[in-house]
Amino acid sequence: MKAALSSLLTSKSLSLHHSPSSLSRSIFHSKFLSTPPISLYPKHHANSTNFSRIHTAFAPIMAASYKPEQARAPPALPLPTPPLTKFKIGLCQISVTPDKPRNIAHARKAIEEAASKGAQLVLLPEIWNSPYSNDCFPVYAEDIDAGGDASPSTAMLSEVSRLLKITIVGGSIPERSGDRVYNTCCVFGTNGELKAKHRKVHLFDIDIPGKITFIESKTLTAGETPTIVDTDVGRIGIGICYDLRFQELAMIYAARGAHLLCYPGAFNMTTGPLHWELLQRARAADNQLYVATCSPARDAGAGYVAWGHSTLVGPFGEVLATTEHEEAIIIAEVDYSLIELRRTNLPLLKQRRGDLYQLVDVQRLNSQ
C-alpha cells in the first residue's frame, strides 16, 4: 500500500493545477485504493481501520517531501541555551528636546530608574538625543568609534551599563563616520563594553500625500548588515524603526537563533495607529520569539510627532506590556521557556516547505 501511494503522489499525472477537491478525488478515487472509495470521514465507513492506515501512510510521505531544513539557507541554527531563562526588561519611553545635554541626562535617569525596578535589560527609543529631523541629524551626530568627548551619548551608556551591571540596547542616535551619517543603535554589555553596533538598514523614505512625507535618505546612509548579538540576557537581533516592516530581517534573526528582537522606533501619527502594534505582533508570531519596541514620548508641538506605545510582545503574538504616549518606564518579565513551549505547541519549524521556498541569509552564506 505504501509503495502504491508513494508512486501515486509522485506521479506526473497529478498536475500542479489541480484544485484541492480534484486532488482529493485523484487520490481517494484511485484504482490503487479499495472500491468503493473510502470515505474521508471514517465514522461513516464500516472499516475505519483502513482509513487510519492510509492516513498514517500519508504522514511520513508528506513530511519527507516538505524538506523543512531546506527552507533556510544555510540551515537555521538551533536556539541556543540562554544565560538565564527569566529576567525583567525595561522600556524607557522618554521625551526628547533640542537640548542634547538634557536628553543625555534624562536618558541616564530613566535607565537608572528601570534598573532600580529590577530591569536587567534596558531599551531606549530611536533618536533619543536629538529631534527627529533631517536638519538635526548631521548637527547632533557623534563619532561613536572615537568615543569619549566625541560621543557623549554612548559614553554615558557605557558608564551606566558598567556601574549598574545591566545590558543596554541604546535606542539609536545619529552617528558620523567620515562624511556619512547613520541612524545607529549601540548595545552595551554588563561590563560597559560596546558589544554591537547596528546601523539602520532600511531608511524611512515615505510619502503619504496630505499625511506625512519624510525622506530619511536625504541625510542618512543605510547600514549594510543585520546585527545579532549574544548578551547576558540572551541572543538579541537588532532593528531600528522602519526595519520592523521587513519580515525578512526578522526571519534571518530567528534563523540565527535569536531569543528576542529589539526595535527602537518612532512611528508617526499616521502609520502608528495602524501598523505599530500589528507589525510587532506579526514579527513575534511569525518567528515565535519575543519582540520589544521603545518609542520616544509624544510631543504634539514637535516637527515630527511620535506615536509612543512602547511594547513587549510574547512568542505567541500576545501583548505582554504596553503604554500610551506619555513618558513611561515599562517593566515586564521575559520568560524564554515560553519560546520552546510555543514552538512545541505550534511546530512551524518542522512544517516549512523547503521544497517550495527558501530564505537565503546572504551574509552567513558568504562567510562559509
Side-chain angles (χ1 to χ4, degrees):
M1 176 65 77
K2 288 185 179 180
L5 285 172
S6 178
S7 174
L8 177 64
L9 289 173
T10 56
S11 170
K12 293 182 180 178
S13 66
L14 286 180
S15 169
L16 292 176
H17 300 288
H18 274 95
S19 67
S21 59
S22 65
L23 181 60
S24 297
R25 287 194 297 272
S26 298
I27 295 173
F28 284 95
H29 294 187
S30 167
K31 64 181 180 179
F32 292 104
L33 302 186
S34 59
T35 303
I38 294 174
S39 169
L40 292 175
Y41 304 95
K43 66 180 180 180
H44 298 305
H45 195 274
N47 191 353
S48 61
T49 303
N50 287 344
F51 180 87
S52 298
R53 288 173 179 168
I54 292 168
H55 185 270
T56 302
F58 284 164
I61 295 170
M62 296 305 292
S65 68
Y66 287 170
K67 302 179 181 177
E69 71 286 349
Q70 295 184 22
R72 299 291 181 265
L77 299 175
L79 192 69
T81 301
L84 71 177
T85 302
K86 292 183 181 180
F87 66 92
K88 289 182 179 179
I89 186 172
L91 311 177
C92 298
Q93 182 168 292
I94 55 177
S95 61
V96 179
T97 73
D99 185 341
K100 185 175 181 180
R102 176 267 177 200
N103 294 336
I104 294 173
H106 192 55
R108 178 171 189 145
K109 182 179 179 182
I111 295 169
E112 291 171 343
E113 182 176 341
S116 73
K117 295 179 178 179
Q120 292 173 267
L121 170 64
V122 175
L123 178 59
L124 291 180
E126 180 185 26
I127 306 293
W128 57 266
N129 71 345
S130 161
Y132 194 92
S133 161
N134 275 316
D135 292 337
C136 293
F137 295 152
V139 177
Y140 286 71
E142 301 180 5
D143 187 341
I144 295 172
D145 291 339
D149 293 340
S151 184
S153 299
T154 59
M156 179 276 289
L157 296 177
S158 174
E159 181 182 34
V160 75
S161 63
R162 175 177 56 82
L163 292 175
L164 299 177
K165 293 181 171 50
I166 59 173
T167 300
I168 296 177
V169 176
S172 78
I173 65 171
E175 177 198 9
R176 183 176 299 283
S177 180
D179 60 353
R180 296 181 176 183
V181 177
Y182 299 91
N183 186 341
T184 301
C185 174
C186 293
V187 181
F188 290 90
T190 54
N191 59 358
E193 176 188 356
L194 176 62
K195 297 184 70 68
K197 185 170 71 172
H198 177 76
R199 291 168 169 169
K200 188 175 186 178
V201 296
H202 302 97
L203 295 183
F204 181 60
D205 289 358
I206 182 174
D207 183 15
I208 303 177
K211 296 290 186 178
I212 182 172
T213 298
F214 200 100
I215 309 300
E216 210 171 39
S217 61
K218 282 184 177 181
T219 56
L220 299 180
T221 300
E224 297 181 349
T225 181
T227 306
I228 194 163
V229 54
D230 286 314
T231 74
D232 287 350
V233 290
R235 184 169 294 178
I236 303 175
I238 306 294
I240 300 174
C241 200
Y242 206 51
D243 288 340
L244 178 62
R245 290 190 175 274
F246 297 86
Q247 65 268 38
E248 297 90 346
L249 183 64
M251 292 162 69
I252 284 174
Y253 289 153
R256 293 185 185 187
H259 301 98
L260 166 68
L261 307 183
C262 287
Y263 294 94
F267 271 41
N268 56 75
M269 298 300 293
T270 299
T271 60
L274 291 171
H275 301 151
W276 177 243
E277 181 182 303
L278 172 69
L279 290 169
Q280 295 172 59
R281 297 183 67 189
R283 300 294 85 84
D286 287 349
N287 298 290
Q288 298 177 303
L289 41 63
Y290 280 88
V291 170
T293 62
C294 190
S295 167
R298 189 181 305 169
D299 178 359
Y304 182 95
V305 182
W307 171 239
H309 296 265
S310 302
T311 303
L312 176 68
V313 180
F316 220 42
E318 71 277 34
V319 174
L320 298 174
T322 189
T323 188
E324 295 296 324
H325 61 271
E326 302 91 352
E327 284 203 329
I329 296 175
I330 306 165
I331 306 297
E333 184 176 78
V334 172
D335 182 356
Y336 287 147
S337 68
L338 291 179
I339 296 177
E340 291 288 5
L341 175 64
R342 297 311 185 193
R343 292 181 180 185
T344 300
N345 296 156
L346 194 64
L348 302 182
L349 297 176
K350 299 177 182 179
Q351 297 170 334
R352 292 197 175 105
R353 296 293 301 270
D355 58 322
L356 300 179
Y357 50 74
Q358 186 179 65
L359 176 74
V360 179
D361 186 337
V362 175
Q363 189 181 54
R364 278 185 64 205
L365 200 63
N366 289 343
S367 68
Q368 290 185 343

